Amino acid sequence: MTRAPARRRTELGLIFLVVILTGGLYALAGFGKAGDLPADMGPFLGIIFALLLVGHVAMRRLAPNADPILLPTAGLLNGIGYVFIARLSTHEARLQAVWTAVGMAAFVATLALVRRARDLERYRYTFAFLGIGLLLLPLVPGVGENINGARLWVHLGSLNFQPGEIAKLALAVFFSSALVERADLLSKATRRVGRFLVLDPRYLAPILAAWGLSLVIFLAENDLGSSFLFFALFIGLLWVSTGRTYYLGLGAGLFAIGSYLALNVIGHAQSRVQAWLNPWAHPSTSGYQIIQGEFAIAAGGLFGEGPGQSNASHIPEASTDLIFAVIADELGLMGAAAMLFAYLLMVGTGLRIAVRCERQFEKLLATGLSLILGVQTFVIVGGVTRLIPLTGVTLPFVSYGGSSLVANYILLAVLLRISHDTETPRPTDQIPELYGTGAASL
Amino acid sequence: MNRQIRLLGLGIMVLFVALFIQLNYLQIVHAKALEANPLNSRAVVQEYTAKRGDIVSADGITLAASVPTADQFKYLREYPTGALFEQVTGYFSFIYGSDGAERSYDKVLTGSQSPFKLPTSLSGLRNLLTNRDQSQSIILTVVDKLQTVAEQQLAGRTGTVVALNPQTGAILAMYSNPTFDPNLISGHDLTKVQANYKALTRIPGGVFAPGGYEQRWFPGSTFKVITASAVYDRQPALAAKTYPTLGALALPDTINRLHNFGGEVCGGQLPELFTVSCDTGFGQIGLDLGASALASEAGSFGFDQTPPIDLPFAVQSSFPSASSFTQDLPGLAYSAIGQQDVQATPLEMAMVAGAIADGGKMMTPHILDRVTNSQNQVVSTYQPKVWQQATSPATAAQMTTLMLSVVNSPQGTGVLARIPGVAVAAKTGTAQTGTGKIDAWFIAFAPAVDPTIAVAVLLPNQPSQDEYQGGTLSAPIAKAVIQAYLSSGAAPAHLAAAP
């Protein structure tokens, strides 16, 4: 227990650093844009510090042994994102500030409600139905809404919400628990077909059904980025839980078939791929977004144009899909690479938590959540830099958008909860339970 | 499981390395090519969106200002005085570039001319970080009141008024018709701007070539100022020669004769010839002086040189080379009266009047008075410079006498320019354009002692009605401008006084 205060002290120190860094960036952006300190410099510093402090205090009370790096890193990305959103639109900045507070509340609530990560395992079917239900919600007439060709939105009154963001987490929980249960069965071929031993499809069926259904829903909603993310998550977890490399081959094959179908069936996908391969063919329509993003990134050079000093007004979706282009423009290769490092740090920390876990379910869940963070970042940054086709997913913690921010704070809380569980020495009176729960740790 | 998780971490790291490599490619390796891509308007927009200072008239009227906007161009350039100052301020358009002071003082207005210095103070550091308040304003020598008088006097007719301070070269007024409102092409609605531009190019007379310094006409009899100066400078004996009273001058190598305007008969000595603007007399003077004397006199008065004014695209006034007359002596006689191939801008003729006014010195013409920074502190002030010595002070004094008699003598052609209590020196010009129309000129300066204003007025393509239209049509305009300037108020002290 002596490690707990040390870890939390580290966290607090890092939080101070984050406040100084984001405060400095906010001041620079104000100078760059208007030639003066932002008028709300004081409130900005106060609020960002207060929010992180709330998270920190909650950590001290609810998960004192958890990793000290994740919360400050998320806060840093969130702060950088806010500075750039504020630099693009004061209206969106105000909303993002509210969403950040909601996200932090969700973070604390998750820590408080999920006292042990293993509890989640018991509700696997609840999470499965919750996930699929949330995914279906935008397709319900009168509730769902099409924005930019993708049907991802649900509006309740004046509030817009992307339920897919939360669904990802729910389904990650479901996959983890379902896969842990069947890991042995899935890793051994038990049924003979002709000369070959193959997997018994009975064991795979429910998982494949859930995966297929959610994939179909994603495709129906035209959310290609999330589709890919979801697919990668499923295959990744399957591989990690079974240790069978042929699942990666199976994944590659399924991905090829899926891509072929998507390209031939969904016009949206086709135009995205064409815009990726040759944006210059239609520079003012389908290629416009990618080309403007590339121009912005190129203008950044090594050190960037300086916060607030570029002309971001011709970049479409600058605060959401293309926010990384604005950041690369104003902070340059240095700033953009530093941001990639921050994500890598978070993903690495998440995977380290997974490695240290003793129980399979937490191990798999931590892997899945880290994978979501890493793959989502890759999908959007790769899309903006034209490494892969551009699909509209958010840059975690940075892009403007409430649902994504809240979902990511919940993800963070679950990861930290797992970390705390793992790092807490078990009281001796719980040892019998260890033997009671079966083969997991043996 | 842990092996797979570590491999997964490795895989994600590989993906991120790919992102990092792609960023390097875009931001370092391929950046120049992307920047140079014709579809990339960022550099152009950036240049266009740099904050520009104001352009202000000598009497404090804002002529051009940048108003912040919410669109990608950040600032809209507005010209509150509309067409009145277009040919001085020029325009600043995203599609069509810039002209006038907007062009010649572009780097001053954006402040990008200030050399890069490492910040040595907190405010210097602030400037480096913000890169925003470097813009500077320019205060011109051009006077709004005088410009307005010129516009009113022209009353919509095609024509030009140029007024300058002969002692400093400061342009006081430079207005000509046709002109246009620069707001039409400085707007941000680019489709509308293109339509406006198209309409402007259809206006006859060329609105994009300011009449004051980008167009040339035959100077006609106003050129006799230079011919007469050549007599005093190069062959003073001719000043005492009495020229025969003629209606038409017999010319060498031809049966054609040089006729006086409207069949008038005149003759006598130089002052008499000058006062009534006798073409036969001056034609003969040209022949007596010879080609090289007249050509070099024209050169010393600024012909065949680009006037060093701080405005873009100023054209040269032209006088044929001396050698071109060896086979064409009649041409020499016509050139001595400002016809044939002699062409001049109104700016040049105002500078000719200014040179006589200022003891033979031709000052460098300029529209800039001073530059101020965003804190309204004066950064630099224009220092008047002599461009060249057109003629000797003695000749200038002689010419002043001749030009005074044009206005004051009962036979003078410029009597309409008389101002009670002010000695006005002038010369009229009624150039034949060869199409039955005439260009009505009037150049003048005042007061004769210690002159503070020199003016050139041109009304081109007037119907040929009587013989002294330079005196009847253009002299009243010049008079109004001089009067407006000399009456208190229109002449800011620092511009009126010699430095």
Side-chain angles (χ1 to χ4, degrees):
Chain A
M1 293 304 277
T2 47
R3 281 176 73 193
R7 291 196 139 200
R8 297 278 72 79
R9 271 202 303 276
T10 307
E11 185 177 74
L12 189 61
L14 288 174
I15 284 173
F16 276 119
L17 202 62
V18 165
V19 172
I20 292 168
L21 279 174
T22 47
L25 189 66
Y26 193 54
L28 283 183
F31 271 116
K33 203 176 175 206
D36 212 339
L37 272 181
D40 56 353
M41 190 67 213
F44 172 82
L45 284 173
I47 288 170
I48 191 166
F49 183 61
L51 283 175
L52 284 171
L53 206 61
V54 166
H56 172 72
V57 169
M59 292 284 289
R60 271 185 190 264
R61 303 227 152 195
L62 300 167
N65 296 325
D67 177 271
I69 291 171
L70 283 178
L71 178 65
T73 313
L76 177 67
L77 290 170
N78 195 173
I80 293 174
Y82 178 83
V83 168
F84 280 92
I85 291 162
R87 175 241 170 289
L88 292 164
S89 155
T90 30
H91 169 70
E92 288 184 350
R94 221 167 288 139
L95 288 171
Q96 184 77 349
V98 173
W99 279 116
T100 304
V102 173
M104 195 52 83
F107 174 83
V108 175
T110 308
L111 280 180
L113 284 173
V114 185
R115 300 311 288 255
R116 289 187 310 179
R118 74 183 74 160
D119 294 346
L120 293 172
E121 199 176 357
R122 281 189 275 150
Y123 301 104
R124 77 176 67 133
Y125 289 106
T126 314
F127 279 111
F129 286 118
L130 177 72
I132 290 170
L134 282 171
L135 280 178
L136 279 170
L137 209 53
L139 295 175
V140 177
V143 180
E145 196 183 350
N146 266 27
I147 294 179
N148 297 333
R151 196 174 178 96
L152 308 174
W153 297 82
V154 163
H155 54 88
L156 301 165
S158 60
L159 203 67
N160 281 330
F161 202 77
Q162 258 180 297
E165 298 280 351
I166 305 285
K168 270 182 280 198
L169 302 183
L171 289 170
V173 173
F174 167 66
F175 284 160
S176 302
S177 62
L179 284 171
V180 163
E181 193 189 44
R182 293 169 169 79
D184 284 346
L185 299 170
L186 286 170
S187 55
K188 291 186 185 73
T190 52
R191 175 167 283 208
R192 183 175 291 277
V193 175
R195 287 177 52 217
F196 301 101
L197 276 174
V198 297
L199 284 173
D200 191 334
R202 274 185 305 172
Y203 304 119
L204 216 50
I207 303 165
L208 276 179
W211 166 70
L213 181 63
S214 48
L215 211 58
V216 164
I217 293 165
F218 268 130
L219 293 180
E221 291 168 4
N222 268 341
D223 185 2
L224 298 166
S226 298
S227 246
F228 173 74
L229 172 63
F230 199 69
F231 181 78
L233 171 71
F234 180 76
I235 296 296
L237 289 183
L238 201 55
W239 176 57
V240 170
S241 64
T242 60
R244 298 294 160 188
T245 316
Y246 52 69
Y247 282 116
L248 290 181
L250 179 74
L254 281 175
F255 178 70
I257 295 167
S259 307
Y260 178 81
L261 286 177
L263 276 180
N264 287 289
V265 177
I266 308 171
H268 189 61
Q270 216 169 3
S271 71
R272 286 290 171 123
V273 170
Q274 277 165 358
W276 169 58
L277 291 174
N278 186 13
W280 310 101
H282 303 284
S284 54
T285 53
S286 58
Y288 185 77
Q289 203 176 9
I290 289 178
I291 288 175
Q292 293 306 322
E294 273 199 27
F295 285 159
I297 294 168
L302 191 56
F303 295 107
E305 292 192 66
Q309 293 201 33
S310 81
N311 188 344
S313 52
H314 33 31
I315 303 175
E317 313 292 337
S319 64
T320 54
D321 292 1
L322 262 72
I323 195 161
F324 189 77
V326 180
I327 294 173
D329 184 357
E330 302 200 338
L331 299 184
L333 179 64
M334 292 294 168
M339 246 180 120
L340 291 183
F341 271 113
Y343 282 111
L344 213 47
L345 185 67
M346 287 188 85
V347 175
T349 306
L351 290 177
R352 202 172 44 120
I353 290 171
V355 167
R356 289 176 66 89
C357 278
E358 284 160 21
R359 285 170 43 85
Q360 303 277 332
F361 168 69
E362 281 100 316
K363 201 184 253 309
L364 213 49
L365 182 57
T367 307
L369 297 178
S370 309
L371 200 59
I372 289 178
L373 208 55
V375 172
Q376 184 161 345
T377 305
F378 174 76
V379 165
I380 186 61
V381 175
V384 170
T385 54
R386 206 158 79 87
L387 194 62
I388 55 171
L390 176 63
T391 53
V393 297
T394 56
L395 186 59
F397 294 106
V398 174
S399 286
Y400 167 70
S403 6
S404 157
L405 200 56
V406 171
N408 282 316
Y409 269 112
I410 293 175
L411 182 154
L412 196 69
V414 175
L415 262 185
L416 287 167
R417 166 55 69 215
I418 296 172
S419 172
H420 170 77
D421 288 358
T422 308
E423 302 301 324
T424 308
R426 279 164 218 222
T428 42
D429 60 321
Q430 284 194 349
I431 287 175
E433 200 196 334
L434 186 70
Y435 293 106
T437 48
S441 55
L442 296 176
Chain B
M1 263 172 110
N2 282 352
R3 194 179 144 262
Q4 279 80 11
I5 294 173
R6 291 202 175 92
L7 282 172
L8 205 62
L10 196 67
I12 289 178
M13 203 177 281
V14 168
L15 292 182
F16 272 63
V17 167
L19 290 179
F20 181 67
I21 291 171
Q22 177 73 355
L23 271 178
N24 271 280
Y25 172 71
L26 285 178
Q27 300 198 280
I28 311 292
V29 181
H30 197 46
K32 282 269 182 303
L34 283 170
E35 208 172 298
N37 190 297
L39 290 170
N40 192 345
S41 60
R42 292 178 72 89
V44 184
V45 171
Q46 176 133 23
E47 206 170 291
Y48 183 73
T49 51
K51 192 185 177 193
R52 300 173 81 78
D54 293 351
I55 303 179
V56 182
S57 77
D59 43 354
I61 305 292
T62 301
L63 309 178
S66 287
V67 182
T69 59
D71 60 13
Q72 63 161 334
F73 297 125
K74 291 185 181 170
Y75 297 99
L76 174 65
R77 197 64 168 164
E78 282 186 352
Y79 302 89
T81 51
L84 185 62
F85 273 87
E86 195 286 323
Q87 296 175 347
V88 179
T89 62
Y91 52 82
F92 185 65
S93 163
F94 181 66
I95 305 180
Y96 301 106
S98 59
D99 199 4
E102 293 275 32
R103 188 183 182 95
S104 53
Y105 288 110
D106 178 63
K107 288 193 162 61
V108 174
L109 289 165
T110 58
S112 57
Q113 208 168 40
S114 15
F116 177 78
K117 278 176 280 186
L118 279 174
T120 51
S121 62
L122 208 59
S123 69
L125 183 68
R126 191 171 138 148
N127 282 344
L128 179 70
L129 291 175
T130 61
N131 203 17
R132 283 292 186 273
D133 55 0
Q134 288 180 0
S135 74
Q136 301 176 113
S137 291
I138 57 174
I139 289 95
L140 304 184
T141 57
V142 188
V143 186
D144 176 71
K145 268 191 193 168
L146 228 48
Q147 195 81 347
T148 308
V149 169
E151 184 201 27
Q152 286 166 349
Q153 287 293 318
L154 286 174
R157 290 172 292 177
T158 298
T160 303
V161 175
V162 175
L164 51 81
N165 182 333
Q167 302 181 17
T168 62
I171 303 290
L172 303 170
M174 187 148 61
Y175 179 85
S176 74
N177 286 325
T179 183
F180 69 99
D181 183 349
N183 290 309
L184 289 174
I185 57 170
S186 70
H188 290 179
D189 181 345
L190 300 183
T191 338
K192 216 164 136 191
V193 163
Q194 277 173 311
N196 288 341
Y197 183 84
K198 234 175 159 179
L200 287 172
T201 54
R202 283 197 287 265
I203 296 174
V207 291
F208 291 106
Y213 57 97
E214 282 189 40
Q215 296 194 39
R216 296 179 299 200
W217 290 269
F218 302 115
S221 300
T222 53
F223 189 78
K224 288 172 186 164
V225 172
I226 294 169
T227 308
S229 294
V231 169
Y232 292 117
D233 283 344
R234 296 162 201 273
Q235 226 172 312
L238 292 179
K241 179 177 168 182
T242 303
Y243 286 85
T245 303
L246 298 171
L249 176 67
L251 294 172
D253 310 331
T254 177
I255 52 161
N256 290 332
R257 299 199 296 172
L258 191 162
H259 292 267
N260 277 321
F261 202 98
E264 185 211 4
V265 175
C266 57
Q269 292 193 342
L270 182 59
E272 204 181 327
L273 301 176
F274 193 87
T275 306
V276 301
S277 196
C278 182
D279 288 346
T280 52
F282 268 91
Q284 187 60 52
I285 289 174
L287 293 171
D288 291 351
L289 278 167
S292 69
L294 199 55
S296 41
E297 189 75 10
S300 61
F301 270 93
F303 275 73
D304 299 306
Q305 297 171 66
T306 304
I309 191 168
D310 47 356
L311 284 170
F313 311 123
V315 296
Q316 298 184 354
S317 300
S318 64
F319 189 85
S321 67
S323 60
S324 70
F325 295 116
T326 50
Q327 300 297 318
D328 181 24
L329 281 175
L332 180 58
Y334 281 106
S335 295
I337 59 168
Q339 298 279 166
Q340 190 90 352
D341 292 327
V342 182
Q343 290 205 308
T345 62
L347 172 66
E348 163 65 19
M349 294 321 290
M351 287 163 68
V352 167
I356 302 299
D358 197 31
K361 281 200 300 285
M362 243 177 180
M363 302 300 290
T364 299
H366 60 93
I367 57 161
L368 179 72
D369 179 55
R370 59 192 189 275
V371 179
T372 61
N373 63 15
S374 52
Q375 276 84 49
N376 243 339
Q377 297 155 326
V378 175
V379 176
S380 61
T381 305
Y382 185 92
Q383 296 303 320
K385 295 182 276 284
V386 178
W387 179 33
Q388 57 187 20
Q389 191 71 34
T391 182
S392 67
T395 299
Q398 297 274 20
M399 288 307 303
T400 304
T401 314
L402 296 193
M403 288 174 75
L404 278 170
S405 77
V406 169
V407 177
N408 295 331
S409 158
Q411 293 88 42
T413 53
V415 291
L416 287 180
R418 281 182 198 169
I419 300 170
V422 180
V424 179
K427 183 68 192 86
T428 56
T430 309
Q432 279 143 317
T433 60
T435 55
K437 299 276 179 74
I438 60 102
D439 292 344
W441 283 88
F442 194 79
I443 65 172
F445 64 86
V449 178
D450 200 10
T452 53
I453 183 169
V455 186
V457 175
L458 165 67
L459 288 169
N461 278 317
Q462 297 299 316
S464 183
Q465 282 166 349
D466 63 61
E467 42 198 300
Y468 302 122
Q469 280 172 299
T472 53
L473 294 173
S474 297
I477 299 175
K479 175 186 170 181
V481 171
I482 293 170
Q483 262 184 319
Y485 186 67
L486 294 182
S487 69
S488 60
H494 71 278
L495 291 174

